[in-house]
C-alpha cells in the first residue's frame, strides 16, 4: 500500500505537473482553504488527541500555518527565480546563476505534539519547491491523523500528495522506498533509524529532533516578567514542545523567589486547580504519562506534583535543587515538570551546558549585556531566544533547526523552500572570447601557463544592485564635480559665455 | 577511539580555533604551504598521476590559491552575524540575527583524481568556519599523501589539524568515532557506508560523488570551437575528473561534423602520438587501467579515434567510439577515463528522455548556439551543476556552489558555500523587556477577545516580509 502511494507520487511528479508556479500557488491556496474552512474539526480532533484548547490550537498551529502559506504564495516567484551570482572578468559575458529546482518526491514524517503545524509546514515548502510529497502523520495523534487523511485528498492533488497512515511497520515500509528527501520531526532514536534507512538510497535528510533546552536565569533580572514568560513556554501544550525550556539553571540565591514567581504565575494562568482549567492540556498517551511520572520518582515537588492517570493529567510541577545526575536530567522531559539546577555563576552554567549534547534551543534571561554575549559566544544550540522563550520559532525569516544531536537541516519560510530544492549551479558561456580560452589548451608552454594563471586570479566583480547604484551615482557625482571645476576654471580665466 | 579525535576535541573546547585572527593566521600559513612548495607538489602529482605540470598548476595549485585568497579576503564578512532579517510587528523591538558557529571536529576524506585541491579546498572552508580538522587523503596517490602528511603539521597548528594516512581498514575504524561533520569526495559505494557510519552519531555529511555527466551537442553550433572545448574538458587529467563530460548526445549529422573536428583538435593538442608528448596524463593505477581497457574491449561500439593502450605506463590514448548502444558496457558506470562514447539521437526530447531515465549526474553540458536548446535541456533535466558551451569551468567560480543531487551527492562547497557547509547557522532573538503588555495577550486564561487581537497582530499583511506565529 505504501509502495503504491510512493510509486504513484513518483509517476505524478515525472509528468511535470507539480512544477508550474501557477499549480504550486493553486495547491497552496487550496491548503489554506482547508485550514480555514475546517478549523472547527481540526480543533475537535486536537482536543481529543491532547486536550488542546481552541485558543492554543489557533495560536500554535493554525495562525502559523496560514502565515507560512501566505508568505509562500506571495514570494514564490521570487524564491523560484534564478539567483544571479558574482562574476569574474573571465566570465563577464556569460550568464552565471543558481537555479532552484524541485528534488522529486519528499517523505514528510510528522510529529504528535503539534500534529498539524509540524506535518503541514514542511508540506508548504515541499509544494512551493515543486515537489511531490508523501505525508505520514504521527499515529500517536490518531484523531488528527485520520482527519488529515480524509481532508487532504479533498483539497490537494491526490496523486502528488498522498497521506499514508499507520504505525511503526508502515513507517518502516515507507522508509524502504527511495525518496529524494526525507523530512523527519521527532526524537533522536527514531531520527537515527530514519537517517540509516535514507543512507541506503543516498537520500538527504532533514531531522528536526530535540534535546534538553537549558534556560539560564541571571540573578539580577526582573523575575516577575521572566517567570511569566518561562511559565508560559514551559506549560503550554503540557510541556510537550520540542523547544520548551527543559530545565532552569540559576544561582541558589534566587531559587526560592523563582519558585514563588512561577507558583504565582501558575495561579494567574490556570487557577488553583489546573485540572479544571480549560486552558491546560494533557499528556498524549499512557506510555508518556508513565515515563514522565517515573522521572519524578524520589523527588518532592516544590510546586504541583499531583497527577491523575485516568485523565493523563500531571499538574504543572517544579522541582528544586535537582542534582545533575538525576533521571530528570538524563533525557528530554517533554512534560510539565520543570527542574531547577543550581550553578555558582555564569561560568558554571556555561560549563554545565557544554558538557551536554547540543540542544535545540537555549534561553538566557539577563539584563547584563556581557552575560548575554558570553552565553552566545561560548555555547552552541539550534537557536536562541534571550529574555523570552520559544520566540525564535516565530519569525519565518530565521532558519529553524538543530545542530548535533538536536538535528540537521533547517526550515521555515524561504528556508523550507531552499531545504527542499536543489540549488543548481549554472554557467552559460558564450562561444565568443575563444581567444582567452586558447591559453588553456595544450600544447603547453610556460608563457601560456603564466597568462592563464593571471587570468584566473582576477577578482570577482560584484554585479549586485547596490554596487550598480553606487557606481552610477559615483559617476554622476564625479562628472558633476568635473563640470563644476571646469566652470570655475573658465570663470577664473575670465572667459565670458553667452549662455549667462 | 582515534587519539587524534580526542585531542582535537579538547583543543576545540578550549576555543582556540574561534577567533578571527587565529583562522586568518592558519589560512595564511596554508597559503604559504602551497606557494612555497609548488615544485614539490608538481613532482608528487607527476609521480602519482603523470599529471602534466600545466594541469597541476591550473587545476590543483591555482584553484587552491584562488580559494584561499577568496576566503582570506572574505572571512570577516562571512563571520559577521547576519542582521538583515525581516521582522514582523511582534518582533519589531527585538534584535534578530543569525550567527555562524563552528561545528567542532570535522573529518575530510580526499580523493585521488585531484589529490591536492579535493582535500585542501574543504580544509580551507573548515578552517575558515573555525573547526578542528582531521584530514584523510587518498592512499592511492602515495606521493601526494606523504607530502601532505609532511607539510601540514609543518605549517598548520598541530593542535587543531591532523593528517591520517591509511587505507580502507583505517578509514573504517576512523569512521567509528564521532565527528561533527564528515566531508567525503569519492564513489557512491563508499559514500553509502560513510552515511551508514554517520547515522548512529547523527553526524551531518557532505558527499561529493559522481555519475555519468552527459554532453549535448545540438542545433546550430560552431563545431570547431565545441570540439576544442569538449576535448579539453574530456581529456584533462586523462578523463579522470568527476565533472568530465562522460558521453556525447548528438544527431548523426552533428556527429559526422564532430568527428573530424575532434581528430583535428587532438592533433593540435597532443600531436600525432599523444603517448609520446608531455601533455597527456596516465591512468592512476593498474587496477583502474585494467577496468577501462576491459570496458573498452567489451564495448559494442566502433572505435573511430584512438583505442590503443599500453600497460607499462598505464597509458590509454584519447579514444572516441560511435554506434554505442544504450546497454553498452561503456554506459553502465561512470567512465572516468579518456574514452568518449558518442550516442546518436534523433531529437532533443529523445536525448532528454534518455538522461532522465538515468541517475541525476554531477554535471550536464549543452553545446549550442540556440538559446532555446539550452533552456529546453535546463528546464527538463536535473544535475548537480550545468555548463553551457564549455566543460568543467563552472566549478572554478567560487560564487557557484559545487555539489551533486540524488546519486551524484548531497551538500555543496567552494567559496562561501564551503564556509556555510562547515558552520551552524544559529538563529538568535534578543527580546526586549518592553511590550510585556503585548505578550500578555498570549497568556492564559485564554479569551476570545485576546485571540482576536493576537490574530490581528500576527496575521501577515499583504506585501510585508516574514510571518509570525506565536508559539
Amino acid at each position: 500500500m505504501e509502495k503504491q502511494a510512493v510509486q504513484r507520487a513518483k509517476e505524478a511528479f515525472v509528468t511535470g505537473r507539480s512544477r508550474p508556479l501557477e499549480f504550486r500557488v493553486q495547491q497552496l491556496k487550496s491548503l489554506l482553504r482547508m485550514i480555514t474552512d475546517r478549523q472547527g474539526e481540526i480543533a475537535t480532533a486536537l482536543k481529543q488527541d491532547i486536550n488542546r484548547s481552541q485558543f492554543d490550537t489557533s495560536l500554535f498551529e493554525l495562525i502559523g500555518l496560514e502565515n507560512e502559506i501566505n508568505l509562500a504564495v506571495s514570494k514564490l516567484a521570487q524564491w523560484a527565480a534564478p539567483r544571479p551570482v558574482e562574476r569574474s572578468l573571465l566570465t563577464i559575458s556569460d550568464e552565471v546563476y543558481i537555479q532552484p529546482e524541485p528534488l522529486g518526491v519528499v517523505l514528510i514524517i510528522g510529529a504528535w505534539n503539534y500534529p498539524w503545524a509540524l506535518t503541514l509546514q514542511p508540506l508548504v515548502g515541499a509544494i512551493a519547491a515543486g515537489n511531490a510529497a508523501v505525508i505520514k502523520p504521527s499515529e500517536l495523534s490518531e484523531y488528527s491523523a485520520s482527519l488529515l487523511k480524509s481532508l487532504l485528498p479533498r483539497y490537494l492533488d491526490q496523486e502528488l500528495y498522498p497521506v499514508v497512515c499507520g504505525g511503526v511497520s508502515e513507517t518502516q515500509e515507507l522508509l524502504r522506498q527511495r525518496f529524494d528527501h526525507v523530512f523527519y520531526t521527532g526524537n533522536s532514536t527514531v531520527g537515527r533509524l530514519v537517517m540509516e534507512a535514507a543512507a541506503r538510497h543516498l537520500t538527504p535528510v532533514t531531522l528536526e529532533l530535540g534535546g534538553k533546552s537549558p534556560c539560564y536565569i541571571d540573578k539580577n533580572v526582573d523575575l516577575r516578567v521572566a517567570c511569566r514568560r518561562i511559565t508560559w513556554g514551559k506549560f503550554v501544550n503540557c510541556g510537550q514542545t520540542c523547544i520548551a525550556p527543559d530545565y532552569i539553571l540559576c544561582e541558589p540565591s534566587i531559587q526560592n523567589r523563582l519558585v514563588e514567581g512561577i507558583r504565582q504565575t501558575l495561579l494567574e494562568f490556570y487557577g488553583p486547580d489546573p485540572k479544571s482549567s480549560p486552558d491546560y492540556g494533557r499528556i498524549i498517551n499512557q506510555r508518556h504519562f508513565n515515563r514522565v511520572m517515573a522521572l519524578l520518582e524520589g523527588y518532592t515537588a516544590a510546586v504541583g506534583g499531583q497527577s491523575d492517570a485516568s485523565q493523563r493529567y500531571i499538574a504543572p510541577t517544579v522541582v528544586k535543587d535537582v542534582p545533575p545526575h538525576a533521571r530528570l536530567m538524563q533525557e528530554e522531559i517533554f512534560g510539565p515538570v520543570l527542574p531547577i539546577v543550581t550553578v555558582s555563576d555564569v561560568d558554571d552554567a556555561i560549563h554545565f551546558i557544554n558538557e551536554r549534547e547540543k540542544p535545540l534551543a537555549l534561553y538566557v534571561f539577563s539584563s547584563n549585556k556581557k552575560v548575554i554575549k558570553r552565553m552566545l559566544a561560548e555555547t552552541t544550540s539550534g537557536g536562541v531566544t534571550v529574555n523570552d522563550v520559544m520566540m525564535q520559532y516565530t519569525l519565518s525569516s530565521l532558519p529553524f533547526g538543530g545542530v548535533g544531536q538536536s538535528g540537521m537541516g533547517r526550515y521555515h519560510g524561504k528556508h523550507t523552500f531552499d531545504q527542499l530544492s536543489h540549488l543548481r549551479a549554472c554557467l552559460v558561456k558564450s562561444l565568443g572570447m575563444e581567444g582567452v580560452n586558447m591559453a588553456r589548451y595544450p600544447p603547453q608552454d610556460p608563457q601560456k601557463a603564466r597568462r592563464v594563471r593571471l587570468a584566473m586570479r582576477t577578482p570577482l566583480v560584484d554585479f549586485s544592485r547596490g554596487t550598480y547604484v553606487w557606481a552610477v551615482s559615483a559617476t554622476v557625482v564625479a562628472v558633476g564635480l568635473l563640470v563644476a571645476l571646469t566652470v570655475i576654471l573658465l570663470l577664473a580665466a575670465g572667459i565670458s559665455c553667452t549662455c549667462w | 577511539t582515534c587519539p587524534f579525535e580526542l585531542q582535537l576535541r579538547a583543543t576545540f573546547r578550549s576555543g582556540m580555533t574561534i577567533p578571527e585572527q587565529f583562522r586568518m593566521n592558519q589560512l595564511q600559513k596554508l597559503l604559504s604551504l602551497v606557494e612555497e612548495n609548488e615544485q614539490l607538489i608538481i613532482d608528487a602529482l607527476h609521480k602519482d598521476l603523470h599529471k602534466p605540470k600545466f594541469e597541476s598548476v591550473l587545476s590543483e595549485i591555482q584553484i587552491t590559491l584562488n580559494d584561499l585568497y577568496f576566503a582570506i579576503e572574505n572571512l570577516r564578512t562571512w563571520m559577521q552575524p547576519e542582521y538583515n532579517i525581516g521582522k514582523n510587528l511582534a518582533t519589531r523591538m527585538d534584535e534578530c540575527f543569525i550567527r555562524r558557529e563552528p561545528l567542532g571536529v570535522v573529518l575530510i576524506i580526499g580523493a585521488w583524481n585531484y589529490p591536492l585541491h579535493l582535500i585542501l579546498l574543504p580544509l580551507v572552508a573548515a578552517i575558515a568556519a573555525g573547526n578542528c580538522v582531521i584530514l584523510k587523503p587518498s592512499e592511492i596517490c602515495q606521493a601526494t599523501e606523504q607530502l601532505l602528511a609532511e607539510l601540514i603539521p609543518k605549517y598548520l597548528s598541530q593542535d587543531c589539524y591532523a593528517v591520517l594516512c591509511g587505507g580502507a581498514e583505517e578509514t573504517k575504524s576512523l569512521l567509528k568515532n564521532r565527528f561533527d561533520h564528515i566531508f567525503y569526495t569519492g564513489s557512491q559505494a563508499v559514500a553509502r557506508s560513510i552515511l551508514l557510519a554517520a547515522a548512529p552519531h547523527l553526524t551531518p555529511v557532505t558527499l561529493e560523488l559522481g555519475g555519468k555527466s552527459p554532453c549535448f551537442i545540438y542545433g546550430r553550433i560552431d563545431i570547431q570551437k565545441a570540439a576544442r572545448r569538449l576535448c579539453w574538458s574530456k581529456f584533462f587529467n586523462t578523463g579522470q575528473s568527476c565533472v568530465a563530460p562522460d558521453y556525447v548526445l548528438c544527431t548523426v549529422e552533428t556527429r559526422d561534423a564532430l568527428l573530424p573536428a575532434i581528430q583535428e583538435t587532438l592533433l593540435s593538442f597532443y600531436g600525432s602520438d599523444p603517448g609520446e608528448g608531455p601533455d597527456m596524463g596516465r591512468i592512476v593505477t593498474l587496477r583502474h587501467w585494467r577496468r577501462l581497457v576491459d570496458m573498452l574491449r567489451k564495448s559494442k561500439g566502433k572505435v573511430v579515434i584512438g583505442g590503443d593502450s599500453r600497460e607499462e605506463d598505464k597509458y590509454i590514448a584519447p579514444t572516441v567510439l560511435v554506434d554505442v548502444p544504450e546497454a553498452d558496457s561503456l554506459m553502465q558506470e561512470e567512465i572516468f577515463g579518456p574514452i568518449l562514447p558518442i550516442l546518436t539521437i534523433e531529437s532533443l526530447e529523445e536525448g532528454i528522455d534518455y538522461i532522465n531515465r538515468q541517475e541525476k549526474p554531477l554535471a550536464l553540458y549543452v553545446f549550442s548556439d540556440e538559446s532555446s536548446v539550452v533552456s529546453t535541456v535546463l528546464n527538463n533535466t536535473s544535475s548537480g551543476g550545468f555548463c553551457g558551451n564549455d566543460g568543467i569551468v563552472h566549478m572554478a567560480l567560487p560564487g557557484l556552489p559545487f555539489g551533486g543531487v540524488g546519486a551524484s551527492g548531497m551538500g555543496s562547497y567552494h567559496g562561501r558555500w564551503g564556509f556555510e557547509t562547515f558552520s551552524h547557522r544559529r538563529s538568535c532573538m534578543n527580546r526586549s523587556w518592553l511590550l510585556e503588555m503585548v505578550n500578555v495577550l498570549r497568556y492564559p486564561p485564554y479569551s476570545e477577545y485576546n485571540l482576536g487581537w493576537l490574530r490581528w497582530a500576527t496575521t501577515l499583511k499583504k506585501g510585508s516580509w516574514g510571518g509570525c506565529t506565536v508559539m
Side-chain angles (χ1 to χ4, degrees):
Chain A
M1 206 275 283
E2 289 78 32
K3 211 165 169 177
Q4 288 161 4
V6 177
Q7 190 55 34
R8 263 200 308 268
K10 278 194 187 149
E11 283 161 15
F13 176 75
V14 165
T15 65
R17 70 171 183 271
S18 63
R19 287 173 182 254
L21 294 188
E22 305 76 44
F23 177 83
R24 305 184 205 182
V25 167
Q26 181 245 342
Q27 292 293 297
L28 288 172
K29 286 189 168 156
S30 206
L31 186 62
L32 184 61
R33 253 182 302 123
M34 180 185 96
I35 297 169
T36 39
D37 291 350
R38 307 290 185 151
Q39 260 188 82
E41 292 166 61
I42 294 174
T44 311
L46 280 168
K47 185 118 189 118
Q48 289 170 302
D49 280 325
I50 203 171
N51 200 48
R52 179 88 66 68
S53 74
Q54 179 92 351
F55 182 94
D56 271 353
T57 290
S58 275
L59 207 57
F60 294 104
E61 302 226 43
L62 305 184
I63 296 183
L65 262 175
E66 288 171 29
N67 282 344
E68 284 272 317
I69 297 174
N70 285 325
L71 180 70
V73 166
S74 70
K75 296 276 179 185
L76 190 59
Q78 203 181 85
W79 293 353
R83 302 175 189 182
V85 149
E86 328 155 294
R87 289 178 271 180
S88 71
L89 279 169
L90 265 183
T91 48
I92 213 164
S93 56
D94 309 321
E95 285 169 55
V96 189
Y97 58 94
I98 296 168
Q99 177 63 56
E101 295 182 341
L103 290 170
V105 182
V106 178
L107 171 63
I108 299 173
I109 302 178
W112 54 259
N113 53 337
Y114 293 90
W116 295 84
L118 297 179
T119 313
L120 294 183
Q121 267 197 27
L123 179 62
V124 171
I127 297 175
N131 300 295
V134 174
I135 298 122
K136 161 73 187 70
S138 171
E139 69 278 16
L140 261 62
S141 43
E142 47 176 312
Y143 292 94
S144 296
S146 54
L147 182 62
L148 186 65
K149 184 154 175 84
S150 75
L151 284 184
L152 209 68
R154 282 189 246 173
Y155 288 83
L156 297 188
D157 185 305
Q158 294 189 23
E159 285 164 353
L160 282 171
Y161 316 110
V163 179
V164 175
C165 286
V168 174
S169 59
E170 283 80 5
T171 312
Q172 281 174 341
E173 184 56 37
L174 270 178
L175 285 168
R176 269 190 271 269
Q177 312 308 314
R178 183 177 171 188
F179 293 93
D180 298 289
H181 194 102
V182 176
F183 194 111
Y184 169 77
T185 308
N187 66 62
S188 42
T189 314
V190 178
R192 280 185 190 91
L193 297 174
V194 170
M195 190 171 169
E196 215 180 297
R200 300 210 163 85
H201 296 293
L202 286 178
T203 298
V205 300
T206 302
L207 302 174
E208 297 279 329
L209 309 176
K212 292 182 80 60
S213 299
C215 179
Y216 174 70
I217 305 180
D218 202 18
K219 61 178 187 277
N220 297 321
V221 108
D222 180 350
L223 271 182
R224 197 71 206 83
V225 179
C227 285
R228 269 234 211 88
R229 296 180 177 190
I230 293 169
T231 308
W232 170 77
K234 176 69 183 186
F235 298 106
V236 115
N237 210 32
C238 213
Q240 296 161 115
T241 310
C242 44
I243 45 172
D246 189 277
Y247 63 97
I248 292 187
L249 290 169
C250 70
E251 289 180 38
S253 54
I254 58 165
Q255 197 180 197
N256 288 330
R257 277 192 295 138
L258 188 59
V259 172
E260 263 322 294
I262 296 176
R263 187 200 309 276
Q264 264 301 111
T265 311
L266 283 170
L267 216 59
E268 277 175 38
F269 283 4
Y270 306 114
D273 180 24
K275 195 155 140 193
S276 52
S277 160
D279 302 330
Y280 190 71
R282 296 291 181 266
I283 303 297
I284 181 80
N285 63 18
Q286 208 59 44
R287 181 169 66 86
H288 279 281
F289 174 87
N290 295 338
R291 180 186 64 81
V292 178
M293 290 309 294
L295 292 175
L296 270 175
E297 254 167 51
Y299 292 96
T300 342
V303 177
Q306 307 90 346
S307 61
D308 181 346
S310 67
Q311 278 193 38
R312 300 186 316 268
Y313 164 79
I314 300 179
T317 303
V318 181
V319 186
K320 269 172 36 169
D321 293 311
V322 178
H325 57 264
R327 265 194 79 180
L328 262 176
M329 295 304 293
Q330 300 313 311
E331 58 180 85
E332 190 176 357
I333 295 169
F334 227 68
V337 177
L338 181 60
I340 304 181
V341 178
T342 51
V343 288
S344 47
D345 54 20
V346 177
D347 281 303
D348 200 13
I350 291 176
H351 185 77
F352 188 93
I353 292 170
N354 286 340
E355 270 182 339
R356 289 161 172 74
E357 294 296 347
K358 299 174 185 177
L360 185 55
L362 188 131
Y363 302 113
V364 185
F365 281 82
S366 176
S367 29
N368 182 335
K369 282 205 173 88
K370 279 213 191 87
V371 166
I372 297 172
K373 204 163 170 205
R374 278 197 66 194
M375 269 285 169
L376 284 179
E378 297 176 39
T379 64
T380 188
S381 62
V384 180
T385 298
V386 178
N387 295 331
D388 205 341
V389 296
M390 318 218 288
M391 297 300 286
Q392 80 274 21
Y393 183 93
T394 70
L395 197 56
S396 58
S397 46
L398 283 176
F400 180 73
V403 64
Q405 301 292 296
S406 53
M408 55 180 82
R410 59 202 65 80
Y411 74 128
H412 281 188
K414 180 170 183 235
H415 303 286
T416 329
F417 179 89
D418 284 351
Q419 187 79 18
L420 298 176
S421 297
H422 169 52
L423 299 178
R424 187 185 196 183
C426 298
L427 169 63
V428 184
K429 287 186 74 75
S430 80
L431 278 165
M433 284 184 68
E434 187 61 4
V436 178
N437 262 1
M438 292 303 284
R440 76 187 195 205
Y441 301 140
Q444 275 312 317
D445 61 51
Q447 241 187 343
K448 257 192 183 179
R450 231 177 294 130
R451 246 189 290 144
V452 178
R453 275 190 100 148
L454 215 68
M456 274 186 81
R457 280 196 60 163
T458 54
L460 292 181
V461 180
D462 178 6
F463 278 98
S464 68
R465 165 162 272 164
T467 312
Y468 180 74
V469 168
W470 176 90
V472 168
S473 34
T475 312
V476 168
V477 169
V479 168
L481 284 174
L482 187 66
V483 168
L485 182 65
T486 316
V487 167
I488 293 170
L489 285 176
L490 285 175
L491 281 176
I495 295 174
S496 62
C497 176
T498 47
C499 18
W500 277 276
Chain B
T1 38
C2 166
F4 277 125
E5 196 250 326
L6 291 173
Q7 184 195 322
L8 294 188
R9 205 161 276 293
T11 308
F12 181 75
R13 288 196 68 175
S14 75
M16 191 166 144
T17 54
I18 316 277
E20 182 193 326
Q21 198 47 48
F22 179 84
R23 305 184 204 188
M24 193 65 90
N25 181 268
Q26 294 298 305
L27 290 173
Q28 297 280 8
K29 293 226 168 91
L30 187 56
L31 192 62
S32 308
L33 187 160
V34 179
E35 284 176 337
E36 290 168 16
N37 294 282
E38 255 195 51
Q39 197 51 51
L40 284 177
I41 293 172
I42 291 170
D43 292 338
L45 289 168
H46 194 266
K47 200 153 162 218
D48 284 328
L49 284 156
H50 199 269
K51 214 182 264 240
K53 173 178 166 169
F54 183 81
E55 287 189 9
S56 295
V57 166
L58 205 64
S59 66
E60 296 264 43
I61 295 173
Q62 198 58 48
I63 198 174
T64 307
L65 291 177
N66 277 2
D67 208 60
L68 273 162
Y69 299 139
F70 194 67
I72 289 170
E73 191 176 313
N74 291 289
L75 183 62
R76 176 162 296 184
T77 315
W78 293 349
M79 282 179 69
Q80 288 310 320
E82 188 182 335
Y83 278 94
N84 189 16
I85 309 287
K87 285 191 266 189
N88 53 52
L89 261 166
T91 49
R92 192 66 60 185
M93 302 288 290
D94 309 325
E95 206 188 345
C96 302
F97 54 98
I98 303 174
R99 277 173 55 93
R100 261 80 180 164
E101 301 183 346
L103 295 170
V105 179
V106 305
L107 171 64
I108 298 174
I109 301 176
W112 57 259
N113 54 335
Y114 292 90
L116 192 83
H117 101 239
L118 288 178
I119 203 163
L120 289 190
L121 253 62
L123 176 62
V124 170
I127 296 176
N131 300 289
C132 287
V133 188
I134 293 186
L135 291 169
K136 164 70 193 70
S138 167
E139 70 280 10
I140 294 179
C141 289
Q142 293 192 346
T144 315
E145 186 196 33
Q146 273 165 32
L147 189 63
L148 282 170
E150 183 196 311
L151 290 178
I152 298 263
K154 210 165 118 184
Y155 284 78
L156 299 185
S157 162
Q158 294 192 34
D159 294 322
C160 312
Y161 315 107
V163 180
L164 278 177
C165 297
E169 277 312 307
E170 283 83 357
T171 311
K172 229 193 264 179
S173 56
L174 186 60
L175 285 168
K176 291 207 183 82
N177 294 284
R178 182 175 157 185
F179 295 96
D180 297 294
H181 195 98
I182 298 176
F183 189 105
Y184 170 74
T185 307
S187 73
Q188 279 172 28
V190 177
R192 245 177 226 105
S193 58
I194 289 183
L195 259 184
L196 284 169
H201 296 298
L202 287 174
T203 300
V205 180
T206 302
L207 301 173
E208 297 275 328
L209 311 177
K212 294 181 79 59
S213 300
C215 179
F216 275 100
I217 303 182
Y218 202 86
R220 189 183 64 242
I221 183 73
D222 179 333
I223 207 76
Q224 205 55 48
K225 283 185 185 159
R228 240 189 269 129
R229 294 180 181 191
L230 171 64
C231 287
W232 179 81
S233 347
K234 176 69 184 184
F235 301 111
F236 195 89
N237 204 31
T238 329
Q240 297 164 118
S241 310
C242 39
V243 286
D246 192 275
Y247 61 97
V248 167
L249 289 164
C250 62
T251 60
V252 177
E253 297 80 44
T254 310
R255 180 198 68 189
D256 292 338
L258 184 63
L259 287 173
I262 293 181
Q263 192 91 284
E264 202 185 311
T265 306
L266 288 175
L267 200 64
S268 81
F269 278 8
Y270 306 114
S272 50
D273 186 3
E276 291 307 312
D279 293 331
M280 182 73 186
R282 298 291 184 267
I283 305 302
V284 68
T285 65
L286 212 53
R287 180 168 65 90
H288 289 84
W289 182 88
R290 286 198 185 109
R291 178 186 70 91
L292 286 165
V293 167
D294 202 46
M295 232 199 283
L296 193 55
R297 194 175 42 83
K298 288 200 184 119
S299 170
K300 303 267 187 318
K302 188 172 80 176
V303 175
V304 291
I305 298 176
D308 38 308
S309 54
R310 203 164 56 212
E311 189 169 339
E312 60 263 23
D313 59 344
K314 296 169 284 179
Y315 166 73
I316 298 180
T319 303
V320 181
L321 295 96
V322 297
D323 300 329
V324 179
E326 280 185 22
D328 195 68
S329 61
L330 283 173
M331 299 307 289
Q332 299 313 308
E333 54 181 272
E334 189 175 0
I335 294 172
F336 227 65
I339 301 169
L340 181 65
I342 300 183
L343 274 69
T344 39
I345 48 174
E346 294 186 10
S347 66
L348 200 56
E349 286 65 40
E350 191 190 321
I352 291 175
D353 261 338
Y354 177 75
I355 291 175
N356 287 339
R357 274 182 276 134
Q358 322 302 320
E359 292 293 349
K360 295 177 188 176
L362 184 55
L364 201 146
Y365 302 108
V366 177
F367 282 88
S368 182
D369 236 348
E370 296 172 44
S371 58
S372 61
V373 169
V374 174
S375 36
T376 308
V377 177
L378 253 179
N379 294 333
N380 292 289
T381 61
S382 186
S383 63
F386 176 90
C387 187
N389 296 325
D390 211 334
I392 301 185
V393 289
H394 65 287
M395 66 166 287
L397 294 176
L400 281 176
F402 179 66
V405 63
S408 53
M410 55 177 81
S412 62
Y413 70 126
H414 282 189
R416 187 179 201 156
W417 301 90
F419 178 84
E420 297 281 318
T421 292
F422 287 105
S423 302
H424 167 54
R425 275 193 273 163
R426 188 185 195 188
S427 295
C428 303
M429 190 185 277
N430 192 345
R431 296 271 286 161
S432 101
W433 286 106
L434 311 168
L435 291 187
E436 185 59 9
M437 51 194 172
V438 176
N439 259 5
V440 163
L441 289 175
R442 75 189 193 203
Y443 299 146
Y446 299 140
S447 77
E448 278 304 313
Y449 179 76
N450 284 357
L451 183 59
W453 276 109
L454 264 176
R455 234 210 153 94
W456 175 85
T458 60
T459 300
L460 195 68
K461 315 278 181 284
K462 238 192 159 76
S464 65
W465 181 319
C468 176
T469 68
V470 182
M471 180 143 173

